[in-house]
Amino acid sequence: MATALEGAPAANGAKAGPEALRRIARLVAAGDLRVPIAATFPVEEIRKAVELQAGRRVRGKIVIDLSAARGVSMGSDSRSD
């Protein structure tokens, strides 16, 4: 269940205005707003992630880690674009 912040609708914040989104970003940056992660899967196991989500018993977000597919480790920018 999403918690409503002032200026941000509780429905996933989809209609939140720019100031509400800035406030949410500040909360995340300060560590005051955390998103629960239920599970993390490499992109090669995306089918398993979808099956878990489809079960509707997940508490938190399902994360698909794309870093291995791109050859980039999370947190570093080693691309040579």
Side-chain angles (χ1 to χ4, degrees), residues 32-78:
D32 294 334
L33 179 66
R34 295 195 175 110
V35 177
I37 304 296
T40 302
F41 294 91
V43 71
E44 297 82 15
E45 295 181 24
I46 197 165
R47 183 178 304 272
K48 193 182 294 184
V50 170
E51 289 170 357
L52 179 62
Q53 184 67 37
R56 299 260 190 210
R57 295 180 185 252
V58 177
R59 299 197 90 182
K61 299 297 181 184
I62 304 295
V63 176
I64 306 300
D65 183 355
L66 302 176
S67 62
R70 292 179 34 199
V72 176
S73 63
M74 296 302 285
S76 67
D77 189 2
S78 58

